[in-house]
Amino acid sequence: MRETAILLISCPDRKGILAKVTGFIAENGGNILHADQHIDFQKEIFFMRIEWDLSSFKIPKEKIAGSFEPIAKEFAMNYQLHFSSKVQNVAIFVSKYDHCLHDLLYRFKAGELKGNLKLVISNHPDLKELVETYGVPFYHFPKTKETKLEVEEKEIELLKKEKIDLIILARYMQILSDNFVNQFRNRIINIHHSFLPAFVGAKPYHRAYERGVKIIGATSHYVTEELDQGPIIEQDVVRVSHRDTLEDMIRKGRDLEKIVLARAVRWHLENKILVYDNKTVIFD
Amino acid sequence: MRETAILLISCPDRKGILAKVTGFIAENGGNILHADQHIDFQKEIFFMRIEWDLSSFKIPKEKIAGSFEPIAKEFAMNYQLHFSSKVQNVAIFVSKYDHCLHDLLYRFKAGELKGNLKLVISNHPDLKELVETYGVPFYHFPKTKETKLEVEEKEIELLKKEKIDLIILARYMQILSDNFVNQFRNRIINIHHSFLPAFVGAKPYHRAYERGVKIIGATSHYVTEELDQGPIIEQDVVRVSHRDTLEDMIRKGRDLEKIVLARAVRWHLENKILVYDNKTVIFD
Amino acid sequence: MRETAILLISCPDRKGILAKVTGFIAENGGNILHADQHIDFQKEIFFMRIEWDLSSFKIPKEKIAGSFEPIAKEFAMNYQLHFSSKVQNVAIFVSKYDHCLHDLLYRFKAGELKGNLKLVISNHPDLKELVETYGVPFYHFPKTKETKLEVEEKEIELLKKEKIDLIILARYMQILSDNFVNQFRNRIINIHHSFLPAFVGAKPYHRAYERGVKIIGATSHYVTEELDQGPIIEQDVVRVSHRDTLEDMIRKGRDLEKIVLARAVRWHLENKILVYDNKTVIFD
Amino acid sequence: MRETAILLISCPDRKGILAKVTGFIAENGGNILHADQHIDFQKEIFFMRIEWDLSSFKIPKEKIAGSFEPIAKEFAMNYQLHFSSKVQNVAIFVSKYDHCLHDLLYRFKAGELKGNLKLVISNHPDLKELVETYGVPFYHFPKTKETKLEVEEKEIELLKKEKIDLIILARYMQILSDNFVNQFRNRIINIHHSFLPAFVGAKPYHRAYERGVKIIGATSHYVTEELDQGPIIEQDVVRVSHRDTLEDMIRKGRDLEKIVLARAVRWHLENKILVYDNKTVIFD
């Protein structure tokens, strides 16, 4: 695998951005592998993901950011610079449901998801054995209403110590505090078992069943302070009918949850997501 | 086409219902073509749609209801008896959007939807020419907040005079009064341009765009007193991305609306829908 | 869980079948939980799946078949009688790909698939450890062109000894002999990684990529003597674009394969599939 | 609507293409609205669609091609230059089925498809009235095996006279000669009523029904000399079951055909399709 650099850019839309950025790469001998841009004409914002081969790039890795800085300033860019050689550190949070966890453990092990799965945290001890079978450390952090903030501090300490880049809530049945969310802005991915914004909150399958919908869904999103209101990354659906009991809906939903969560995690780990205005641009 | 009879039944679940009903048909020489039953185990309700050939059935059509009555009483059934020879009379309500109207006009004309499309009612004059091209009478009933109830009375009068069985709201931009809805209980089908219960009410595409969803939908449902809360008949979805502008979403949505509405109308006209508890059982 | 009996019936279509079968159950005190019938009007064949509660049924389990025999004769029925208390014995065949295996191991363990997973057979040793982690015996049967028939005899011997009811080919990269297939007629389920009948045979993803299709699929089917020509049980698809490399298609396909295979296995284990004329009727 | 220019480019992949093309536009004062590129790494081909606002572009429209020529030469590009102000002339070919025709007539009239629908050609007179209702000239060209080539010459003459840019085969039940196809290379779009490459040729629904598939599809593609083998533009599918008769499949298929054909036509008219190697790149 050749090493690549990835720039994720957003800035006010103006003439010449694309020419300037691609010119910067070309003049320094970079071979562009992927370039995807998007303009939100309503808000006049320019978005871009550009990835280039570093093998013949004249600027050394550690100096790329500095060299790019004048362009970024000129166009008032928000930008992130990533390298394909940097593998992100990942933590999974679970409670008792194991289907998403099991699915993620397999995908990380099989190399389908490129990340260092460093640890799993749970408020219950139940899934310890499963996690350890995969050689991943399992941490049990029980929580009560009273201890929640205090326990979160310990979790945060552990996450920082392990340099965790991405947190996956794989059907974690606890709501994180604003403080927690703030420290991992756009780096916590949750799977909600409904087609958001339908059925925000608890027991979405029960409410879908009661409402008599003909299609159910799942939604992966970044976690924000407001419950189930963060930027949506991916959604998918499956058809149900009057023949489906609540249990059937939960069973069908599990397959959705696994796939919709895994897609979001993959895009995040490959630096393909830009967040703005509580929405996502997915450069897939 | 052979003539058939159709029984739609719902009643408390008990032993022997199916044997009793099928026995009644068999003993009288009926050949069952379709039989579909469903039990809601949570609420212990039995549902059934059974259709049989009348060609060798010993009981004359006009006496079938009377003959079946003792069984209906025994099991405390709600039931409807329909004959395939009875073609329902249909009215379409529209405002200015013409895509669903155009689609329905074609489907009725092509015989895909089996119904007598007797008339189209609109609160605007714009679609008069299109409707009349298909040889269907067009009625213009302008409405204001002040005249709404009064105008509705005239509409109801016309609908009754024309013996309308089914009313289709093909993107009709007016909310019907409770009185109107009550007179056509489970006989008014609306198309809502969102994946209900997401985006109830006005401008669902705008709100879907704002929320950044990755899939949009359309929902056909029976109209009840509460806006967009009636029993859902059918739903379908289509994928969108950050590349889709609001206009793209509206365009993609139009195709959904046409199909989701047409499916609901077809099932209704073929007596395949049972409503209970604000849900539908579709015997497709 | 209450114990139930399930009758799967196919016979020439005639008047009175449904009344006779439901009458038989009702007269003997059975409470029908599910009844689903289907008539192929082109071929004039009647199909039925009927399931009833045995708790108050007057005929003891072991005598039901005998009591039903006169009805079966009268209508020239093919029928199977199953009991929900009988859990089927299952064997999985794999080669080196582990995604379907991993998925099935989880579903059996989690109780989503109701069967006794008795053993896994492979022509390679690679997946031994994974299988044994789940406490399932793993058998390595290497095969060459020369030894194939001989090795198959040993496999059949083992399968008979373990009273295997269902064989799942979870991306097993060997073609079974006619002799093998004959001994497990309609009891071997394969997953083919294409939307059959497109791309029969080897390397379907490669050929789909070459052809430039916009949607790829997976198909689960019963194995017959002719490669990829057996009765189709389930299919599903996912969208691809020019952006997807062959590797992307293979990755997307894996998720399809898992789901499409698991659905087929579930329906089979719940006695919901009737095969006729190289097609399936799925009483879902 | 501002006027835009669109460049569709394919060439061997090399460093600096993107910088050169975007530099050309930026240096001349063009504001890039859309830029989408794709690299086929297997074949090392670079593809691009770039669209820019002409309002402040310094090079006059008629001189853009000439000014761009040196860049095209340098990189050995195949390219097309389009202007949004140029509306393509369209002809539809039909036989007796009217659903796709009806759908297209509406979409052109409603402005959803941006093209001048100049004429409809048919080998049958049946749809004359429908076409003329929309104010579109209808030409009846009956064909027999013997007269086919001769009649085609007259059709080609008419198409050239009317400066037709795009031909839509809206369920046209005749196979065009190689000569005809050659004169409108990548400018004839056909709708095939199956999920290609499954069920190439005649009666695909009948064969899908016989095969017992669980999903049916439709495919729009450019017409080449080989039947149903041209570059696929779009595909979509719908689920069927044993409950669906052949007639149900044909009915469900009609809705697919309409949508899949309309999407292809829209992309073509908006210059969003690049053909290479019997595949399409869709810059949507």
Side-chain angles (χ1 to χ4, degrees), chain A residues 98 102 106-107 112 134 255, chain C residues 98 102 106-107 134 255:
Chain A
D98 65 352
H102 190 268
Y106 172 76
R107 292 183 201 262
E112 187 182 307
Y134 283 80
D255 281 343
Chain C
D98 65 352
H102 190 267
Y106 172 75
R107 292 184 200 263
Y134 282 81
D255 281 342

Side-chain angles (χ1 to χ4, degrees), chain B residues 22 60 107 125 217:
Chain B
T22 57
R107 292 184 202 262

